[in-house]
Amino acid sequence: MKIKDFGVEQWMNEYETKAKYNLGETCVSSLSIRELCELVGVDVNDFAKQLVDRRLTYGAIEGAVELKEAITRLYQNLTPDEIVTEHGAIGANNLVLNALVEPGDEVSRRDADLPATPVHPRSNRGDG
């Protein structure tokens, strides 16, 4: 299946880093690592020491243990094995669609600004 180019993404690839005022961005203004450390109360020097010794691997396929453990501390009666993490909303949408949608099912969705959402069911189920 040939998936059509995402017009917005193509335009953003060309112009977003050159714009004086980027009013088309869908994300909040980025934080520096220093700002993020200050926000969450982590010493930037301690973070840097941990970072320089970290191996550059794909990480745990089933999700970072540290993240899952941190999430469990926000809830009662939850274990890390009950948590599924993804690499963002598109990954989470993909997981849900693959788990729940079968050929012939009808999918109702919100018309978001991410063109990949409506394309996924057609591309993976062969009806588009």
Side-chain angles (χ1 to χ4, degrees):
M1 169 177 182
K2 171 103 172 93
I3 297 175
K4 296 177 187 175
D5 287 339
F6 300 157
V8 170
E9 287 297 325
Q10 298 301 318
W11 189 90
M12 292 295 283
N13 288 345
E14 178 69 24
Y15 298 108
E16 79 174 313
T17 60
K18 301 171 190 167
K20 183 174 181 179
Y21 302 105
N22 183 353
L23 302 179
E25 184 60 56
T26 59
C27 302
V28 297
S29 180
S30 300
L31 295 174
S32 69
I33 291 186
R34 180 178 309 282
E35 291 169 322
L36 182 60
C37 286
E38 290 170 0
L39 183 66
V40 297
V42 171
D43 181 84
V44 71
N45 293 316
D46 290 342
F47 177 79
K49 288 175 190 171
Q50 291 177 9
L51 184 62
V52 297
D53 290 330
R54 183 171 295 265
R55 295 259 177 225
L56 300 178
T57 68
Y58 284 112
I61 298 301
E62 63 281 353
V65 173
E66 299 91 348
L67 173 61
K68 290 181 169 195
E69 289 173 349
I71 292 170
T72 63
R73 290 192 291 274
L74 299 172
Y75 300 91
Q76 296 178 357
N77 304 318
L78 186 65
T79 68
D81 291 337
E82 296 172 293
I83 297 171
V84 176
T85 58
E86 276 294 339
H87 300 283
I90 291 176
N93 287 338
N94 178 55
L95 183 67
V96 169
L97 288 169
N98 276 324
L100 301 177
V101 177
E102 296 294 335
D105 288 351
E106 292 187 24
V107 176
S108 175
R109 65 171 176 81
R110 179 180 163 272
D111 193 9
D113 58 353
L114 295 173
T117 303
V119 170
H120 179 277
R122 291 193 311 267
S123 63
N124 279 0
R125 303 296 183 202
D127 53 324

